[in-house]
Amino acid sequence: EAEVAQSPRYKITEKSQAVAFWCDPISGHATLYWYRQILGQGPELLVQFQDESVVDDSQLPKDRFSAERLKGVDSTLKIQPAELGDSAMYLCASSPGGQETQYFGPGTRLLVL
Amino acid sequence: DAKTTQPNSMESNEEEPVHLPCNHSTISGTDYIHWYRQLPSQGPEYVIHGLTSNVNNRMASLAIAEDRKSSTLILHRATLRDAAVYYCILKNDYKLSFGAGTTVTVRA
């Protein structure tokens, strides 16, 4: 069964450093999502791509976060500089289209020291 | 986003049914009711969804009230692998807006 791949699974970094997360969606899925999940809360959408275009980045802190999906396949989420409050699980999901079931990857757990 | 209300936690015994309630009194006519669950240290996974009629699949059943202001996710025979956080979400476009969900504990 096809799965969404994410790497790394765990990342420890120091405050003010840059960090990047990678996501490879299920093959053929046009829509890709990045979520952030703070411990004890549900995931919160950061950005949604339709192919290579950003559809919604209204909750993305654009002063320090950036996301790209250059060829409409895999995607990278970057934080620069990282802050203590960025410690969370970063989840990637994909779907065949924007209104269809979303399939989530295992996430990247980030700890900022 | 229309909001849902779920209990913080529920406990069940293994092999017994689990009924997870969800209130959504401000639901609109075009909102679908979706359920996802999140096992420990994993990403959420889709469970089931419906609009007006009750729905069944291999994982669970979804019972929707006639006025659509509440729904119940039914796990027919809970196993230890069903221990997870269950999220009830109203969706009418691409967006999934997760709340805190219900943490289900299954006792052996």
mmCIF file of all heavy atoms in Angstrom, chain A residues 9 33 35 37 40-43 45 48 55-56 58 89 91 98-102 104-106 109, chain B residues 32 34 36 38 41-46 49 58 87 91-101:
data_model
loop_
_atom_site.group_PDB
_atom_site.id
_atom_site.type_symbol
_atom_site.label_atom_id
_atom_site.label_comp_id
_atom_site.label_asym_id
_atom_site.label_seq_id
_atom_site.Cartn_x
_atom_site.Cartn_y
_atom_site.Cartn_z
ATOM 1 N N ARG A 9 12.727 11.591 10.662
ATOM 2 C CA ARG A 9 11.657 11.299 11.602
ATOM 3 C C ARG A 9 11.803 12.127 12.875
ATOM 4 O O ARG A 9 10.821 12.504 13.512
ATOM 5 C CB ARG A 9 11.654 9.822 11.955
ATOM 6 C CG ARG A 9 11.257 8.903 10.796
ATOM 7 C CD ARG A 9 9.779 9.101 10.407
ATOM 8 N NE ARG A 9 8.878 9.031 11.540
ATOM 9 C CZ ARG A 9 8.393 7.908 12.038
ATOM 10 N NH1 ARG A 9 8.731 6.756 11.512
ATOM 11 N NH2 ARG A 9 7.555 7.942 13.075
ATOM 12 N N TYR A 33 -0.228 18.724 1.706
ATOM 13 C CA TYR A 33 -0.475 19.569 2.877
ATOM 14 C C TYR A 33 0.672 19.423 3.876
ATOM 15 O O TYR A 33 1.190 18.325 4.067
ATOM 16 C CB TYR A 33 -1.758 19.139 3.609
ATOM 17 C CG TYR A 33 -2.972 18.921 2.739
ATOM 18 C CD1 TYR A 33 -3.143 17.753 2.016
ATOM 19 C CD2 TYR A 33 -3.990 19.874 2.686
ATOM 20 C CE1 TYR A 33 -4.270 17.534 1.248
ATOM 21 C CE2 TYR A 33 -5.129 19.669 1.925
ATOM 22 C CZ TYR A 33 -5.252 18.491 1.211
ATOM 23 O OH TYR A 33 -6.388 18.282 0.454
ATOM 24 N N TYR A 35 1.139 20.174 7.983
ATOM 25 C CA TYR A 35 0.478 20.496 9.241
ATOM 26 C C TYR A 35 1.523 20.581 10.354
ATOM 27 O O TYR A 35 2.553 19.926 10.312
ATOM 28 C CB TYR A 35 -0.524 19.407 9.643
ATOM 29 C CG TYR A 35 -1.777 19.284 8.809
ATOM 30 C CD1 TYR A 35 -1.775 18.585 7.603
ATOM 31 C CD2 TYR A 35 -2.974 19.848 9.242
ATOM 32 C CE1 TYR A 35 -2.934 18.456 6.855
ATOM 33 C CE2 TYR A 35 -4.135 19.721 8.501
ATOM 34 C CZ TYR A 35 -4.107 19.027 7.311
ATOM 35 O OH TYR A 35 -5.254 18.888 6.574
ATOM 36 N N GLN A 37 1.644 20.008 14.584
ATOM 37 C CA GLN A 37 0.879 19.497 15.729
ATOM 38 C C GLN A 37 1.682 19.704 16.999
ATOM 39 O O GLN A 37 2.713 19.056 17.215
ATOM 40 C CB GLN A 37 0.545 18.018 15.553
ATOM 41 C CG GLN A 37 -0.328 17.469 16.669
ATOM 42 C CD GLN A 37 -0.797 16.068 16.403
ATOM 43 O OE1 GLN A 37 -0.165 15.311 15.664
ATOM 44 N NE2 GLN A 37 -1.924 15.683 16.990
ATOM 45 N N GLY A 40 -0.445 17.485 22.537
ATOM 46 C CA GLY A 40 -1.726 17.592 23.224
ATOM 47 C C GLY A 40 -2.815 18.276 22.416
ATOM 48 O O GLY A 40 -3.957 18.379 22.866
ATOM 49 N N GLN A 41 -2.479 18.734 21.215
ATOM 50 C CA GLN A 41 -3.458 19.412 20.359
ATOM 51 C C GLN A 41 -3.609 18.656 19.042
ATOM 52 O O GLN A 41 -2.805 17.794 18.711
ATOM 53 C CB GLN A 41 -3.005 20.847 20.077
ATOM 54 C CG GLN A 41 -2.850 21.707 21.322
ATOM 55 C CD GLN A 41 -2.427 23.127 20.980
ATOM 56 O OE1 GLN A 41 -2.556 23.588 19.842
ATOM 57 N NE2 GLN A 41 -1.940 23.848 21.989
ATOM 58 N N GLY A 42 -4.652 19.010 18.287
ATOM 59 C CA GLY A 42 -4.824 18.446 16.962
ATOM 60 C C GLY A 42 -3.931 19.156 15.957
ATOM 61 O O GLY A 42 -3.441 20.254 16.208
ATOM 62 N N PRO A 43 -3.707 18.538 14.810
ATOM 63 C CA PRO A 43 -2.877 19.180 13.772
ATOM 64 C C PRO A 43 -3.518 20.461 13.254
ATOM 65 O O PRO A 43 -4.742 20.568 13.170
ATOM 66 C CB PRO A 43 -2.821 18.111 12.668
ATOM 67 C CG PRO A 43 -3.142 16.826 13.344
ATOM 68 C CD PRO A 43 -4.090 17.164 14.434
ATOM 69 N N LEU A 45 -3.299 23.156 9.936
ATOM 70 C CA LEU A 45 -2.797 23.307 8.574
ATOM 71 C C LEU A 45 -1.878 24.520 8.462
ATOM 72 O O LEU A 45 -2.233 25.622 8.864
ATOM 73 C CB LEU A 45 -3.969 23.466 7.600
ATOM 74 C CG LEU A 45 -3.590 23.634 6.126
ATOM 75 C CD1 LEU A 45 -2.983 22.354 5.572
ATOM 76 C CD2 LEU A 45 -4.818 24.038 5.300
ATOM 77 N N GLN A 48 -1.063 24.455 1.933
ATOM 78 C CA GLN A 48 -1.591 23.470 1.007
ATOM 79 C C GLN A 48 -1.122 23.808 -0.399
ATOM 80 O O GLN A 48 -1.185 24.958 -0.826
ATOM 81 C CB GLN A 48 -3.121 23.462 1.032
ATOM 82 C CG GLN A 48 -3.713 22.455 0.054
ATOM 83 C CD GLN A 48 -5.170 22.676 -0.253
ATOM 84 O OE1 GLN A 48 -5.835 23.449 0.415
ATOM 85 N NE2 GLN A 48 -5.683 21.986 -1.252
ATOM 86 N N VAL A 55 -2.067 26.946 -2.514
ATOM 87 C CA VAL A 55 -3.495 27.241 -2.476
ATOM 88 C C VAL A 55 -3.848 28.015 -1.211
ATOM 89 O O VAL A 55 -4.664 28.937 -1.242
ATOM 90 C CB VAL A 55 -4.315 25.944 -2.558
ATOM 91 C CG1 VAL A 55 -5.795 26.222 -2.341
ATOM 92 C CG2 VAL A 55 -4.080 25.237 -3.874
ATOM 93 N N ASP A 56 -3.217 27.628 -0.111
ATOM 94 C CA ASP A 56 -3.529 28.255 1.178
ATOM 95 C C ASP A 56 -2.277 28.238 2.042
ATOM 96 O O ASP A 56 -1.768 27.168 2.344
ATOM 97 C CB ASP A 56 -4.673 27.504 1.874
ATOM 98 C CG ASP A 56 -5.093 28.137 3.197
ATOM 99 O OD1 ASP A 56 -4.451 29.094 3.657
ATOM 100 O OD2 ASP A 56 -6.094 27.664 3.778
ATOM 101 N N SER A 58 -2.287 30.697 4.678
ATOM 102 C CA SER A 58 -2.726 31.737 5.590
ATOM 103 C C SER A 58 -2.225 31.540 7.027
ATOM 104 O O SER A 58 -2.110 32.499 7.779
ATOM 105 C CB SER A 58 -4.259 31.830 5.587
ATOM 106 O OG SER A 58 -4.829 30.587 5.945
ATOM 107 N N MET A 89 5.337 18.377 16.181
ATOM 108 C CA MET A 89 5.357 17.361 15.128
ATOM 109 C C MET A 89 4.940 18.050 13.838
ATOM 110 O O MET A 89 3.937 18.782 13.820
ATOM 111 C CB MET A 89 4.371 16.233 15.459
ATOM 112 C CG MET A 89 4.224 15.219 14.347
ATOM 113 S SD MET A 89 5.576 14.053 14.318
ATOM 114 C CE MET A 89 4.931 12.877 15.519
ATOM 115 N N LEU A 91 3.648 17.326 10.156
ATOM 116 C CA LEU A 91 3.009 16.259 9.404
ATOM 117 C C LEU A 91 2.789 16.684 7.958
ATOM 118 O O LEU A 91 2.393 17.811 7.683
ATOM 119 C CB LEU A 91 1.651 15.920 10.023
ATOM 120 C CG LEU A 91 1.684 15.298 11.412
ATOM 121 C CD1 LEU A 91 0.354 15.517 12.130
ATOM 122 C CD2 LEU A 91 1.983 13.808 11.306
ATOM 123 N N GLY A 98 -8.252 18.134 -3.954
ATOM 124 C CA GLY A 98 -8.390 18.938 -2.755
ATOM 125 C C GLY A 98 -9.504 18.519 -1.823
ATOM 126 O O GLY A 98 -9.452 18.777 -0.631
ATOM 127 N N GLN A 99 -10.536 17.863 -2.335
ATOM 128 C CA GLN A 99 -11.671 17.555 -1.475
ATOM 129 C C GLN A 99 -11.720 16.088 -1.080
ATOM 130 O O GLN A 99 -12.681 15.647 -0.473
ATOM 131 C CB GLN A 99 -12.972 17.952 -2.188
ATOM 132 C CG GLN A 99 -13.014 19.423 -2.536
ATOM 133 C CD GLN A 99 -14.374 20.035 -2.277
ATOM 134 O OE1 GLN A 99 -15.173 19.480 -1.550
ATOM 135 N NE2 GLN A 99 -14.645 21.159 -2.892
ATOM 136 N N GLU A 100 -10.677 15.356 -1.410
ATOM 137 C CA GLU A 100 -10.695 13.917 -1.150
ATOM 138 C C GLU A 100 -9.952 13.558 0.130
ATOM 139 O O GLU A 100 -9.330 14.409 0.775
ATOM 140 C CB GLU A 100 -10.124 13.178 -2.361
ATOM 141 C CG GLU A 100 -10.941 13.436 -3.627
ATOM 142 C CD GLU A 100 -10.399 12.719 -4.831
ATOM 143 O OE1 GLU A 100 -10.253 11.480 -4.751
ATOM 144 O OE2 GLU A 100 -10.117 13.381 -5.844
ATOM 145 N N THR A 101 -10.032 12.294 0.491
ATOM 146 C CA THR A 101 -9.418 11.802 1.723
ATOM 147 C C THR A 101 -7.932 12.158 1.751
ATOM 148 O O THR A 101 -7.225 11.994 0.761
ATOM 149 C CB THR A 101 -9.585 10.279 1.822
ATOM 150 O OG1 THR A 101 -10.974 9.989 1.888
ATOM 151 C CG2 THR A 101 -8.879 9.733 3.054
ATOM 152 N N GLN A 102 -7.471 12.620 2.903
ATOM 153 C CA GLN A 102 -6.057 12.942 3.067
ATOM 154 C C GLN A 102 -5.334 11.767 3.726
ATOM 155 O O GLN A 102 -5.837 11.169 4.670
ATOM 156 C CB GLN A 102 -5.907 14.207 3.928
ATOM 157 C CG GLN A 102 -6.480 15.450 3.263
ATOM 158 C CD GLN A 102 -6.263 16.715 4.064
ATOM 159 O OE1 GLN A 102 -5.338 16.812 4.877
ATOM 160 N NE2 GLN A 102 -7.116 17.702 3.842
ATOM 161 N N PHE A 104 -1.853 10.721 5.604
ATOM 162 C CA PHE A 104 -0.792 11.369 6.358
ATOM 163 C C PHE A 104 0.471 10.509 6.426
ATOM 164 O O PHE A 104 0.401 9.279 6.482
ATOM 165 C CB PHE A 104 -1.249 11.655 7.794
ATOM 166 C CG PHE A 104 -2.202 12.814 7.904
ATOM 167 C CD1 PHE A 104 -3.542 12.659 7.593
ATOM 168 C CD2 PHE A 104 -1.758 14.050 8.315
ATOM 169 C CE1 PHE A 104 -4.433 13.721 7.689
ATOM 170 C CE2 PHE A 104 -2.625 15.132 8.422
ATOM 171 C CZ PHE A 104 -3.963 14.962 8.101
ATOM 172 N N GLY A 105 1.610 11.190 6.457
ATOM 173 C CA GLY A 105 2.867 10.526 6.723
ATOM 174 C C GLY A 105 3.088 10.365 8.216
ATOM 175 O O GLY A 105 2.255 10.794 9.028
ATOM 176 N N PRO A 106 4.214 9.764 8.611
ATOM 177 C CA PRO A 106 4.476 9.509 10.030
ATOM 178 C C PRO A 106 4.902 10.745 10.809
ATOM 179 O O PRO A 106 4.898 10.736 12.034
ATOM 180 C CB PRO A 106 5.614 8.488 10.000
ATOM 181 C CG PRO A 106 6.316 8.782 8.712
ATOM 182 C CD PRO A 106 5.252 9.208 7.750
ATOM 183 N N ARG A 109 9.324 14.829 14.161
ATOM 184 C CA ARG A 109 9.238 15.452 15.484
ATOM 185 C C ARG A 109 10.443 16.367 15.666
ATOM 186 O O ARG A 109 11.584 15.913 15.628
ATOM 187 C CB ARG A 109 9.202 14.395 16.588
ATOM 188 C CG ARG A 109 8.941 15.023 17.968
ATOM 189 C CD ARG A 109 8.653 13.971 19.019
ATOM 190 N NE ARG A 109 7.408 13.257 18.788
ATOM 191 C CZ ARG A 109 6.197 13.727 19.064
ATOM 192 N NH1 ARG A 109 6.058 14.940 19.569
ATOM 193 N NH2 ARG A 109 5.133 12.986 18.845
ATOM 194 N N TYR B 32 -19.615 17.831 5.380
ATOM 195 C CA TYR B 32 -19.501 16.396 5.593
ATOM 196 C C TYR B 32 -18.915 16.169 6.991
ATOM 197 O O TYR B 32 -18.110 16.962 7.474
ATOM 198 C CB TYR B 32 -18.578 15.760 4.557
ATOM 199 C CG TYR B 32 -19.210 15.552 3.210
ATOM 200 C CD1 TYR B 32 -19.347 16.599 2.309
ATOM 201 C CD2 TYR B 32 -19.666 14.293 2.832
ATOM 202 C CE1 TYR B 32 -19.928 16.410 1.076
ATOM 203 C CE2 TYR B 32 -20.256 14.086 1.587
ATOM 204 C CZ TYR B 32 -20.381 15.151 0.723
ATOM 205 O OH TYR B 32 -20.953 14.966 -0.494
ATOM 206 N N HIS B 34 -16.452 13.999 9.032
ATOM 207 C CA HIS B 34 -15.310 13.117 8.841
ATOM 208 C C HIS B 34 -14.769 12.678 10.196
ATOM 209 O O HIS B 34 -14.746 13.445 11.156
ATOM 210 C CB HIS B 34 -14.186 13.837 8.084
ATOM 211 C CG HIS B 34 -14.414 13.970 6.620
ATOM 212 N ND1 HIS B 34 -13.609 13.354 5.680
ATOM 213 C CD2 HIS B 34 -15.354 14.616 5.924
ATOM 214 C CE1 HIS B 34 -14.044 13.628 4.472
ATOM 215 N NE2 HIS B 34 -15.108 14.413 4.586
ATOM 216 N N TYR B 36 -11.198 10.967 11.731
ATOM 217 C CA TYR B 36 -9.823 10.497 11.604
ATOM 218 C C TYR B 36 -9.387 10.002 12.974
ATOM 219 O O TYR B 36 -9.928 10.422 13.996
ATOM 220 C CB TYR B 36 -8.886 11.614 11.142
ATOM 221 C CG TYR B 36 -8.907 11.905 9.664
ATOM 222 C CD1 TYR B 36 -10.001 12.524 9.067
ATOM 223 C CD2 TYR B 36 -7.840 11.543 8.851
ATOM 224 C CE1 TYR B 36 -10.023 12.781 7.701
ATOM 225 C CE2 TYR B 36 -7.842 11.797 7.482
ATOM 226 C CZ TYR B 36 -8.937 12.412 6.917
ATOM 227 O OH TYR B 36 -8.950 12.662 5.561
ATOM 228 N N GLN B 38 -5.669 8.974 15.314
ATOM 229 C CA GLN B 38 -4.219 9.095 15.373
ATOM 230 C C GLN B 38 -3.689 8.151 16.441
ATOM 231 O O GLN B 38 -3.903 8.387 17.641
ATOM 232 C CB GLN B 38 -3.805 10.532 15.656
ATOM 233 C CG GLN B 38 -2.311 10.780 15.549
ATOM 234 C CD GLN B 38 -1.960 12.255 15.597
ATOM 235 O OE1 GLN B 38 -2.733 13.082 16.078
ATOM 236 N NE2 GLN B 38 -0.784 12.600 15.095
ATOM 237 N N SER B 41 2.340 8.147 18.193
ATOM 238 C CA SER B 41 3.557 8.360 17.386
ATOM 239 C C SER B 41 3.332 8.148 15.888
ATOM 240 O O SER B 41 4.285 7.831 15.166
ATOM 241 C CB SER B 41 4.687 7.436 17.872
ATOM 242 O OG SER B 41 4.979 7.705 19.216
ATOM 243 N N GLN B 42 2.112 8.308 15.423
ATOM 244 C CA GLN B 42 1.819 8.190 13.994
ATOM 245 C C GLN B 42 1.028 9.401 13.515
ATOM 246 O O GLN B 42 0.489 10.169 14.313
ATOM 247 C CB GLN B 42 1.033 6.919 13.700
ATOM 248 C CG GLN B 42 1.795 5.641 13.994
ATOM 249 C CD GLN B 42 1.042 4.409 13.520
ATOM 250 O OE1 GLN B 42 0.236 4.487 12.591
ATOM 251 N NE2 GLN B 42 1.298 3.282 14.145
ATOM 252 N N GLY B 43 0.961 9.554 12.199
ATOM 253 C CA GLY B 43 0.092 10.583 11.642
ATOM 254 C C GLY B 43 -1.354 10.139 11.674
ATOM 255 O O GLY B 43 -1.647 8.959 11.792
ATOM 256 N N PRO B 44 -2.292 11.078 11.572
ATOM 257 C CA PRO B 44 -3.710 10.702 11.544
ATOM 258 C C PRO B 44 -4.026 9.795 10.360
ATOM 259 O O PRO B 44 -3.342 9.841 9.326
ATOM 260 C CB PRO B 44 -4.424 12.054 11.400
ATOM 261 C CG PRO B 44 -3.462 13.063 11.916
ATOM 262 C CD PRO B 44 -2.107 12.536 11.537
ATOM 263 N N GLU B 45 -5.057 8.973 10.534
ATOM 264 C CA GLU B 45 -5.529 8.152 9.422
ATOM 265 C C GLU B 45 -7.047 8.282 9.312
ATOM 266 O O GLU B 45 -7.767 8.413 10.304
ATOM 267 C CB GLU B 45 -5.128 6.680 9.590
ATOM 268 C CG GLU B 45 -5.755 5.966 10.738
ATOM 269 C CD GLU B 45 -5.447 4.472 10.756
ATOM 270 O OE1 GLU B 45 -5.071 3.907 9.702
ATOM 271 O OE2 GLU B 45 -5.601 3.863 11.841
ATOM 272 N N TYR B 46 -7.510 8.246 8.088
ATOM 273 C CA TYR B 46 -8.941 8.368 7.796
ATOM 274 C C TYR B 46 -9.683 7.159 8.352
ATOM 275 O O TYR B 46 -9.213 6.018 8.247
ATOM 276 C CB TYR B 46 -9.137 8.456 6.281
ATOM 277 C CG TYR B 46 -10.557 8.295 5.810
ATOM 278 C CD1 TYR B 46 -11.459 9.350 5.866
ATOM 279 C CD2 TYR B 46 -10.997 7.078 5.304
ATOM 280 C CE1 TYR B 46 -12.766 9.204 5.426
ATOM 281 C CE2 TYR B 46 -12.298 6.922 4.869
ATOM 282 C CZ TYR B 46 -13.177 7.980 4.926
ATOM 283 O OH TYR B 46 -14.472 7.823 4.495
ATOM 284 N N HIS B 49 -16.506 8.763 6.721
ATOM 285 C CA HIS B 49 -17.183 10.048 6.617
ATOM 286 C C HIS B 49 -18.592 9.838 6.090
ATOM 287 O O HIS B 49 -18.896 8.798 5.477
ATOM 288 C CB HIS B 49 -16.411 11.040 5.745
ATOM 289 C CG HIS B 49 -16.530 10.815 4.261
ATOM 290 N ND1 HIS B 49 -15.792 9.859 3.594
ATOM 291 C CD2 HIS B 49 -17.301 11.421 3.330
ATOM 292 C CE1 HIS B 49 -16.090 9.891 2.321
ATOM 293 N NE2 HIS B 49 -17.003 10.825 2.123
ATOM 294 N N ARG B 58 -15.075 -1.136 6.842
ATOM 295 C CA ARG B 58 -14.418 -2.233 7.554
ATOM 296 C C ARG B 58 -13.878 -1.800 8.906
ATOM 297 O O ARG B 58 -13.640 -2.611 9.778
ATOM 298 C CB ARG B 58 -13.290 -2.820 6.712
ATOM 299 C CG ARG B 58 -12.165 -1.834 6.417
ATOM 300 C CD ARG B 58 -10.992 -2.495 5.693
ATOM 301 N NE ARG B 58 -9.931 -1.531 5.433
ATOM 302 C CZ ARG B 58 -9.023 -1.179 6.324
ATOM 303 N NH1 ARG B 58 -9.025 -1.730 7.534
ATOM 304 N NH2 ARG B 58 -8.089 -0.294 6.025
ATOM 305 N N TYR B 87 -10.695 12.015 16.052
ATOM 306 C CA TYR B 87 -11.081 13.376 15.731
ATOM 307 C C TYR B 87 -12.356 13.376 14.883
ATOM 308 O O TYR B 87 -12.438 12.691 13.866
ATOM 309 C CB TYR B 87 -9.997 14.088 14.925
ATOM 310 C CG TYR B 87 -8.665 14.234 15.622
ATOM 311 C CD1 TYR B 87 -7.621 13.361 15.360
ATOM 312 C CD2 TYR B 87 -8.450 15.272 16.523
ATOM 313 C CE1 TYR B 87 -6.386 13.505 15.981
ATOM 314 C CE2 TYR B 87 -7.219 15.436 17.151
ATOM 315 C CZ TYR B 87 -6.201 14.545 16.878
ATOM 316 O OH TYR B 87 -4.986 14.701 17.498
ATOM 317 N N LYS B 91 -16.231 19.100 7.308
ATOM 318 C CA LYS B 91 -15.438 19.447 6.128
ATOM 319 C C LYS B 91 -16.356 19.765 4.968
ATOM 320 O O LYS B 91 -17.203 18.952 4.609
ATOM 321 C CB LYS B 91 -14.514 18.276 5.792
ATOM 322 C CG LYS B 91 -13.552 18.481 4.641
ATOM 323 C CD LYS B 91 -12.606 17.284 4.578
ATOM 324 C CE LYS B 91 -11.566 17.437 3.484
ATOM 325 N NZ LYS B 91 -12.141 17.295 2.144
ATOM 326 N N ASN B 92 -16.209 20.930 4.364
ATOM 327 C CA ASN B 92 -16.977 21.225 3.157
ATOM 328 C C ASN B 92 -16.100 21.747 2.036
ATOM 329 O O ASN B 92 -16.603 22.167 1.013
ATOM 330 C CB ASN B 92 -18.109 22.220 3.454
ATOM 331 C CG ASN B 92 -17.583 23.578 3.868
ATOM 332 O OD1 ASN B 92 -16.391 23.834 3.856
ATOM 333 N ND2 ASN B 92 -18.488 24.461 4.248
ATOM 334 N N ASP B 93 -14.801 21.746 2.262
ATOM 335 C CA ASP B 93 -13.873 22.083 1.185
ATOM 336 C C ASP B 93 -12.631 21.239 1.412
ATOM 337 O O ASP B 93 -12.731 20.123 1.871
ATOM 338 C CB ASP B 93 -13.585 23.587 1.143
ATOM 339 C CG ASP B 93 -13.072 24.101 2.478
ATOM 340 O OD1 ASP B 93 -12.658 23.284 3.335
ATOM 341 O OD2 ASP B 93 -13.081 25.316 2.685
ATOM 342 N N TYR B 94 -11.483 21.776 1.130
ATOM 343 C CA TYR B 94 -10.270 20.977 1.226
ATOM 344 C C TYR B 94 -9.742 20.875 2.649
ATOM 345 O O TYR B 94 -8.908 20.062 2.960
ATOM 346 C CB TYR B 94 -9.171 21.591 0.365
ATOM 347 C CG TYR B 94 -8.822 23.006 0.790
ATOM 348 C CD1 TYR B 94 -7.884 23.229 1.788
ATOM 349 C CD2 TYR B 94 -9.452 24.084 0.211
ATOM 350 C CE1 TYR B 94 -7.569 24.509 2.199
ATOM 351 C CE2 TYR B 94 -9.148 25.378 0.622
ATOM 352 C CZ TYR B 94 -8.205 25.584 1.607
ATOM 353 O OH TYR B 94 -7.914 26.846 2.012
ATOM 354 N N LYS B 95 -10.260 21.739 3.526
ATOM 355 C CA LYS B 95 -9.599 21.927 4.812
ATOM 356 C C LYS B 95 -10.082 20.943 5.881
ATOM 357 O O LYS B 95 -11.287 20.740 6.039
ATOM 358 C CB LYS B 95 -9.867 23.349 5.284
ATOM 359 C CG LYS B 95 -8.869 23.883 6.262
ATOM 360 C CD LYS B 95 -9.054 25.396 6.387
ATOM 361 C CE LYS B 95 -8.012 25.981 7.301
ATOM 362 N NZ LYS B 95 -8.110 27.434 7.388
ATOM 363 N N LEU B 96 -9.153 20.315 6.602
ATOM 364 C CA LEU B 96 -9.457 19.552 7.805
ATOM 365 C C LEU B 96 -9.083 20.422 9.002
ATOM 366 O O LEU B 96 -7.925 20.776 9.160
ATOM 367 C CB LEU B 96 -8.640 18.258 7.841
ATOM 368 C CG LEU B 96 -9.014 17.134 6.888
ATOM 369 C CD1 LEU B 96 -8.031 15.992 7.031
ATOM 370 C CD2 LEU B 96 -10.431 16.655 7.150
ATOM 371 N N SER B 97 -10.061 20.768 9.825
ATOM 372 C CA SER B 97 -9.793 21.560 11.028
ATOM 373 C C SER B 97 -9.928 20.650 12.233
ATOM 374 O O SER B 97 -11.031 20.326 12.660
ATOM 375 C CB SER B 97 -10.754 22.737 11.114
ATOM 376 O OG SER B 97 -10.555 23.614 10.024
ATOM 377 N N PHE B 98 -8.792 20.238 12.763
ATOM 378 C CA PHE B 98 -8.776 19.292 13.879
ATOM 379 C C PHE B 98 -9.004 20.013 15.205
ATOM 380 O O PHE B 98 -8.429 21.063 15.454
ATOM 381 C CB PHE B 98 -7.428 18.569 13.965
ATOM 382 C CG PHE B 98 -7.145 17.603 12.860
ATOM 383 C CD1 PHE B 98 -6.647 18.036 11.643
ATOM 384 C CD2 PHE B 98 -7.361 16.239 13.038
ATOM 385 C CE1 PHE B 98 -6.373 17.144 10.626
ATOM 386 C CE2 PHE B 98 -7.079 15.329 12.024
ATOM 387 C CZ PHE B 98 -6.580 15.785 10.819
ATOM 388 N N GLY B 99 -9.814 19.408 16.076
ATOM 389 C CA GLY B 99 -9.910 19.848 17.462
ATOM 390 C C GLY B 99 -8.956 19.003 18.290
ATOM 391 O O GLY B 99 -7.980 18.453 17.767
ATOM 392 N N ALA B 100 -9.249 18.888 19.586
ATOM 393 C CA ALA B 100 -8.391 18.104 20.479
ATOM 394 C C ALA B 100 -8.727 16.617 20.428
ATOM 395 O O ALA B 100 -7.919 15.789 20.835
ATOM 396 C CB ALA B 100 -8.490 18.613 21.901
ATOM 397 N N GLY B 101 -9.921 16.268 19.961
ATOM 398 C CA GLY B 101 -10.285 14.871 19.813
ATOM 399 C C GLY B 101 -10.617 14.168 21.118
ATOM 400 O O GLY B 101 -10.576 14.750 22.209
#
